[in-house]
Amino acid sequence: MILETIVTTRTEAGADHIAPMGLREQDGFTILSPFRPSATLEHILRERCAIVNLTDDVRVFAGCLTGRYAWPTVPGVHLACRRLASALAHVELALDHVEDDPVRPRLWCRTIERYSHAPFAGFNRAQAAVLEAAILVSRLDMLPAEKVASELAYLAIAVEKTAGPREREAWEWLQAAAAAHRGDRKESAA
Ligand SMILES: Cc1cc2nc3c(=O)[nH]c(=O)nc-3n(C[C@H](O)[C@H](O)[C@H](O)COP(=O)(O)O)c2cc1C
């Protein structure tokens, strides 16, 4: 199973770096798999730690993909890197070993400690739709325009029916990114 999370790491200058990232659990380890090139990868290799943030605020996912990185953070407990202030839970990780790969290395991490901050509020279809749309937007250069358009149209149904204000805002950012990309394509084809 893959869980979609927000990974926070520390830049060399000590600033926050925030990126949506999927993770797997295997043999007691948490495995992160960033595609090269990746700032998250560089930071984890240098600092040998990361924080996994479990959040239902889908604006963070949509925001990171659309150039909105200023999400409030607070200090981690054991690590120098910080966690999302809005995390329902966070996990502090230490890098154990690297399974290297020219495309997508696998970072095997040990859990130092896991912290809960707020209860799981329940499933929401608009949140799932925003996550799917975020994945589509992260692949705009790789996917056919018709596929992106038809999948966004389907996902819009769940957003219209079940979104709250956070989900609507996130959805609008992603729609704008997809529209801007369509515009760029038309211009370069003209
Ligand atoms: C839900 C979601 C999951 C993602 N999972 C991954 C992942 O597992 N590996 C990856 O390289 N990028 C993933 N991405 C895309 C990265 O967040 C994005 O490319 C980001 O810029 C990572 O690069 P960075 O480490 O340089 O910040 C995901 C995006 C979304 C929306």
Side-chain angles (χ1 to χ4, degrees), residues 84-158:
L84 280 183
S86 66
L88 299 177
H90 85 272
V91 189
E92 303 200 356
L93 295 176
L95 179 62
D96 187 85
H97 62 281
V98 180
E99 204 179 318
D100 211 355
D101 185 89
V103 177
R104 199 176 190 189
R106 286 157 65 90
L107 305 175
W108 291 68
C109 300
R110 275 181 294 105
T111 296
I112 300 172
E113 193 94 51
R114 187 185 175 96
Y115 299 90
S116 289
H117 308 291
F120 172 58
F123 291 112
N124 170 255
R125 290 173 58 204
Q127 289 170 358
V130 168
L131 272 191
E132 288 304 319
I135 300 274
L136 286 172
V137 166
S138 75
R139 297 178 184 164
L140 287 174
D141 285 327
M142 294 176 262
L143 296 173
E146 307 71 45
K147 180 179 166 69
V148 173
S150 69
E151 294 201 5
L152 286 178
Y154 178 70
L155 294 169
I157 299 168

Side-chain angles (χ1 to χ4, degrees), residues 51 73-84 90 92 115:
I51 290 184
T73 60
V74 294
V77 179
H78 298 279
L79 301 179
C81 65
R82 295 165 68 89
R83 70 162 175 94
L84 280 183
H90 85 272
E92 303 200 356
Y115 299 90

Side-chain angles (χ1 to χ4, degrees), residues 45-68:
L45 292 178
R46 188 186 57 253
E47 307 267 326
R48 303 200 65 83
C49 62
I51 290 184
V52 159
N53 298 269
L54 307 175
T55 180
D56 61 357
D57 186 348
V58 288
R59 292 176 306 173
V60 186
F61 291 86
C64 288
L65 286 178
T66 55
R68 297 166 171 92

